[in-house]
Amino acid sequence: QRWARSRKMKIIGNAHSHPAGSTRPSSLDMRLALSSGLLVIMNKKGLMRAWLKEKGNSKNFDLVEIGHF
C-alpha cells in the first residue's frame, strides 16, 4: 500500500486467503481494515467472495457481500 500511495495511486481494496477458514472476513480482518474498500477472500477450495467495507463507525465496520465467484 505504501508503494501505491507513494505513486499517487488509490487503494481500492485487498485480497488474501483463508487456507483453513471460510470466505467470510474474520474478526482480525475487520480489526485490520483501516479504510473502506473491497476485500476479496479465497479459501483452500478456491472459492472466492468479494466484500465491500463501507465507511462507518471506527470500531464496527459493516461488511456487505457483493459477489460470490
Side-chain angles (χ1 to χ4, degrees):
Q1 291 183 357
R2 280 186 227 145
W3 180 89
R5 287 189 179 109
S6 72
R7 288 160 177 77
K8 308 283 187 220
M9 296 177 168
K10 184 175 180 177
I11 306 299
I12 60 168
N14 67 69
H16 66 275
S17 63
H18 286 182
S22 76
T23 55
R24 289 182 130 332
S26 68
S27 58
L28 179 61
D29 292 333
M30 292 169 56
R31 282 196 310 273
L32 294 178
L34 300 176
S35 60
S36 61
L38 188 65
L39 174 63
V40 178
I41 301 173
M42 178 188 291
N43 68 9
K44 68 180 178 183
K45 295 178 183 177
L47 177 65
M48 289 190 304
R49 284 198 174 141
W51 304 81
L52 179 63
K53 188 181 78 106
E54 299 179 24
K55 291 181 183 179
N57 187 310
S58 62
K59 294 184 180 183
N60 298 311
F61 298 110
D62 294 324
L63 292 164
V64 179
E65 186 173 3
I66 61 168
H68 185 163
F69 306 97

